[in-house]
Structure formats: C-alpha cells, structure tokens
Amino acid sequence: MMSTIEEKCKEKGVRLTDQRKVIAKILSESKEVYGSKDHPDVDELHKRVTKIDDKISIATVYRTVKLFEEAGILIKHDFKAGKARYEINDDHNHLIDINSGEIVEFVDKDIEALQVKIANKLGYKLVDHKLELYGLKIKK
Amino acid sequence: MMSTIEEKCKEKGVRLTDQRKVIAKILSESKEVYGSKDHPDVDELHKRVTKIDDKISIATVYRTVKLFEEAGILIKHDFKAGKARYEINDDHNHLIDINSGEIVEFVDKDIEALQVKIANKLGYKLVDHKLELYGLKIKK
DNA sequence: TTATTTGCAAACGGTTTGCCGATTA
DNA sequence: TAATCGGCAAACCGTTTGCAAATAA
C-alpha cells in the first residue's frame, strides 16, 4: 500500500522514483519501528534505506530529504547543533533529556494559544514556531 | 572600565588575555551599538574585533566564543541552521521575521511558567529551553 | 522522447585542531 | 617559571553540486 508521503508527492507533482519510494517508506515507518523518540539524521536514514536498496547514495538521501522538507512533508530539526534530524511534519514540541539525549514529544494547547497572542502583541502573524525544553529526569 | 564579561571571567577563573578582553568588549557593546536585533555570527565578530586589533585570528574568536559559552556567559543560537550566532546570556526568546530576518526579543512569564509545568508533568526538571516564533509583520 | 533524477567524487563552508612560539598569572 | 593561549594552516565533517549515465512520465 502507498504511504502518506507518496500521496503527498502525487498531490504536489513530485516525481516518484524508486529511491524516493524507499526513503518515503523508511520515514513513514520510523515511529512505528523505532518509537516516538526517533528523529533520524541523514546518515541514519541512509543506513536504513540501503538495507532495502544498497545502491541508493547518500547524496540522494540529502536531496530527497530537502525536497520533502520543501514540500512540507518533513520538518528538519537542529537540536543543539551538529547534524540535522528529520521527522514527518505533524507539529509538536520536544523535550530533550540532557543526560541521555532521549526525546519526548508533547503538545500543549495553552502554550500554542499564548504564542499566537504574543506574536500578535508584537505586531506579527505567527506562521511557525519552535519550542524545545531541556530537562533532567526526576527520579521517583 | 571593566565589562561584565571580564568580571564573570574573573569569577570563573578564566584567564584574561588581550584578545579575550577585546572580544568581551565587542560583545558587551553589541546591543548598545547595533540594537536588540544584533546576534552576530563568528565572522561578524571577527570583523568588529579586528577593527580594534587586526592581529586577532578567527580561530581565536571561535575558541573564545566557545569558552564564554561554556562559562555560561554567552548563548549560541542556530536559527534555522547555517552559522551559529551569539549574544550575552540573559534568557529571553526570539521572534524572527521570515521576510526580513529581523529579530524581536521578548519575555513572557506565563509561557515560562507553563514550560516548567509541562516538564514536571512529563517527569523532568526544566533546566533550559528554546522558544522561537516565526512571523509575518502585520501591516497597519 | 525529453526533462528530471541519480551516483560518484570533488568542492564547499563553517568549525576545530596540531604545532610551536608568545603570553599570562 | 609553568601552564595556558594564540596564529597559522591544515584537517574535519556535514552538506551541496557538476557531470554524464539512467530513468520517469
């Protein structure tokens, strides 16, 4: 069956090559297989992708990931610098454990509303936002 | 007179060299001279610094900026990737105009409180956070 | 068929580092 | 004086790109 990403590519007129199908599949499965803290970088994606087709180059992964980002399918994160990491765009925030690097996703309506309010007060219409919390696990 | 950064270096036992003094001075003056939207990257810092002492290398600026960051004096931003940008650490958030790239700083107690609450609910003690809003200027 | 895409390897740009003479405390 | 720092140039590493062959529509 066709992944959501493939459908979105059709909508946007993005040509569907074999390589892109494989990358789309890997991205779509990311959360199911690796859990919600999965935000793979390009290298990791390339590793997973070459298990299905080992002819796919890392340049293609870079190009595809950028293409998907421009199409609004993926979002790119630059958590505390280093290499960029990707996930399917579904608008949530991240809490990063500064010890383990583990990522917890969350959404909060109140914070969302406040952000819109603040932007308006400053004379802007909010079009995007990034909220990252960095924390230490509280031991029980 | 001695800049705040120099004082903090003394506190932390960071050796004060001529080069570091110049860089500290430039950083301290940043907001006064260039306004609150000033978040210079290393290249820009190097340009400003070499107007005072043109012998200072860019490697030294990189090393100093990292040193100051580790001492908690500066914060490093990676706004939508590219090159890192720095400013004195005084805990506020940023709204970035996606047309002009202009930066508006703001603080909001309500959002701050909510962040602590969310982290706690998820089982974490909040130690740091990053909030960036991206907006379009509303025309009057 | 024709525009687009891919793989390869080389180039790029920001950042880091090894070496060694200079400087700070 | 002993430990640290700074300048230089080379290395590094994630990412981008020019080119010619391969492929989707």
Side-chain angles (χ1 to χ4, degrees), chain A residues 26-134:
Chain A
I26 292 294
L27 287 164
S28 301
E29 290 175 347
S30 150
K31 301 253 157 146
E32 293 137 48
V33 179
Y34 297 92
S36 75
K37 77 279 173 214
D38 189 43
H39 298 72
D41 59 38
V42 171
D43 230 63
E44 175 62 25
L45 283 176
H46 184 236
K47 270 192 202 116
R48 296 181 191 173
V49 145
T50 49
K51 280 186 190 154
I52 298 181
D53 176 355
D54 67 356
K55 295 267 107 50
I56 297 177
S57 76
I58 198 157
T60 296
V61 180
Y62 271 108
R63 284 192 270 233
T64 302
V65 125
K66 176 183 265 185
L67 186 75
F68 286 175
E69 194 201 354
E70 284 162 359
I73 295 170
L74 292 184
I75 31 169
K76 180 182 184 178
H77 298 291
D78 302 276
F79 302 135
K80 295 283 183 201
K83 29 182 126 169
R85 301 170 61 176
Y86 293 85
E87 70 178 322
I88 290 177
N89 183 5
D90 74 334
D91 194 44
H92 53 249
N93 305 295
H94 299 92
L95 186 155
I96 297 118
D97 184 319
I98 45 180
N99 280 332
S100 68
E102 194 178 334
I103 294 166
V104 182
E105 301 183 348
F106 69 90
V107 292
D108 187 284
K109 288 296 164 205
D110 295 340
I111 278 213
E112 228 109 285
L114 268 176
Q115 289 177 1
V116 172
K117 210 174 109 191
I118 290 167
N120 286 340
K121 196 164 68 184
L122 296 172
Y124 287 82
K125 176 170 174 292
L126 188 68
V127 302
D128 195 9
H129 67 107
K130 175 195 277 186
L131 172 61
E132 287 160 24
L133 305 183
Y134 294 85

Side-chain angles (χ1 to χ4, degrees), chain A residues 13-30:
Chain A
V14 168
R15 193 179 276 192
L16 268 172
T17 66
D18 289 347
Q19 293 90 332
R20 290 180 186 168
K21 282 181 198 160
V22 173
I23 296 168
K25 181 172 188 293
I26 292 294
L27 287 164
S28 301
E29 290 175 347
S30 150

Side-chain angles (χ1 to χ4, degrees), chain A residues 2-13:
Chain A
M2 190 163 65
S3 74
T4 318
I5 295 181
E6 285 191 38
E7 282 164 21
K8 288 201 184 164
C9 285
K10 293 236 160 113
E11 281 170 30
K12 314 242 176 188

